[in-house]
Amino acid sequence: MTDLADRLSLPRYPRSARYDVRWTIENQMGPHALWLLEWLAPALGLADLPPGARVLDLGCGRAMTSVFLAREYGVQVTAADLWVKPDENAARLAEAGVSDRVLPVYAEAHDLPFGEASFDAIVSIDAYQYFGTDDLYLPSLTRLLKPGGRIGVVVPALREEIDGVEPPEHLKPHWEPAFWCFHSAAWWRRHWTRGGAVTVEAADWLEDGWREWLLWAEVCAEESSSEFMRGLARDSVELLRADGGRTLGFVRVVGRRP
């Protein structure tokens, strides 16, 4: 396990490196969520939030990011997800010792049971692309932010928008219809700017993010105890090796409610 921890200990993610490797592997649902959240954190200003600030973790999955938010930044987290039951996340949160700082809830992104101006910040890691491309969605979500509050997301993305209706030739054997929700940093900046719901403060590409995605997928394909998750990881390995960084990676987007 020490060798595995060393393999996954990347210099730009020092906080994530402190977390148990087996825990992250067994609770992953895609790309390394803690790495992506740690990349988002400075642009979102998480370290500047006061202790006890309220943060919505939207599409939290198995709540790894919620644990990270509570431990690393001392905030109160609402961990919202549609696919993972709150009682399952509650057990994980208790084991992680953050039950007093994280509330797991069942919620669909278009029907969030929270009042206006409930949160100081909203975070979404590897989830927003599935519901946030709708032109009308962001204004409905940012009403949950306090004035001046920030929303920050990290999404799988494209270096450049794809012309036409066909994926790049080298990706056709691996392409899935859901990948059409992947967009470029420029697309996301325009998408968030023209709605007027936020002032966009960042929309940028993670350099070498595809390499980190590939590294993580290779590890999960080898080490996950779930055959289903190993299969998904193997699919990602094939996709990313075929692409070689030409098309796919990650984008972070941060906006502030006026």
Side-chain angles (χ1 to χ4, degrees):
M1 187 59 68
T2 300
D3 291 343
L4 187 57
D6 290 343
R7 184 179 174 190
L8 292 172
S9 183
L10 304 185
R12 63 176 165 188
Y13 306 121
R15 291 177 184 257
S16 299
R18 296 198 293 262
Y19 286 73
D20 180 72
V21 172
R22 181 56 59 188
W23 181 79
T24 58
I25 291 171
E26 296 307 329
N27 288 301
Q28 60 88 22
M29 297 181 70
H32 199 306
L34 300 190
W35 290 350
L36 298 180
L37 178 53
E38 190 164 357
W39 178 51
L40 174 66
L44 189 58
L46 287 177
D48 299 326
L49 290 175
R54 296 194 64 201
V55 176
L56 172 62
D57 187 1
L58 183 57
C60 67
R62 294 193 176 106
M64 283 201 301
T65 47
S66 302
V67 171
F68 192 89
L69 287 164
R71 284 183 176 174
E72 302 299 322
Y73 302 104
V75 295
Q76 292 287 330
V77 184
T78 299
D81 200 80
L82 177 65
W83 303 113
V84 182
K85 295 179 180 178
D87 57 345
E88 295 176 10
N89 275 338
R92 269 184 286 274
L93 296 168
E95 183 179 352
V98 295
S99 292
D100 58 332
R101 288 170 281 166
V102 183
L103 174 66
V105 300
Y106 174 85
E108 201 280 325
H110 296 88
D111 187 23
L112 297 172
F114 312 117
E116 184 158 346
S118 295
F119 298 100
D120 297 282
I122 297 173
V123 168
S124 185
I125 303 297
D126 187 27
Y128 192 84
Q129 68 274 15
Y130 294 120
F131 46 79
T133 57
D134 183 335
D135 288 341
L136 303 179
Y137 184 72
L138 186 62
S140 71
L141 177 62
T142 52
R143 68 177 181 82
L144 304 180
L145 281 173
K146 296 176 182 178
R150 287 188 176 109
I151 175 173
V153 309
V154 179
V155 292
L158 307 174
R159 281 188 182 274
E160 304 290 343
E161 288 299 298
I162 296 172
D163 293 330
V165 296
E166 295 291 329
E169 193 66 32
H170 69 283
L171 290 180
K172 281 186 177 180
H174 311 281
W175 195 262
E176 298 179 7
F179 294 167
W180 289 113
C181 70
F182 298 172
H183 291 287
S184 66
W187 187 95
W188 281 108
R189 180 180 291 278
R190 182 177 65 252
H191 183 58
W192 278 26
T193 297
R194 65 185 179 184
V198 297
T199 300
V200 178
E201 297 184 335
D204 54 0
W205 176 262
L206 178 60
E207 288 300 326
D208 286 330
W210 75 274
R211 296 183 188 277
E212 296 169 357
W213 190 356
L214 175 58
L215 168 63
W216 177 242
E218 289 171 341
V219 167
C220 291
E222 299 164 2
E223 300 290 338
S224 176
S225 64
S226 164
E227 176 56 39
F228 177 73
M229 297 310 298
R230 287 200 303 273
L232 290 181
R234 287 193 293 268
D235 290 343
S236 294
V237 168
E238 292 177 2
L239 171 72
L240 294 163
R241 286 178 179 170
D243 186 51
R246 285 177 279 179
T247 309
L248 299 170
F250 297 103
V251 161
R252 66 180 171 188
V253 195
V254 174
R256 183 191 291 269
R257 182 180 180 182

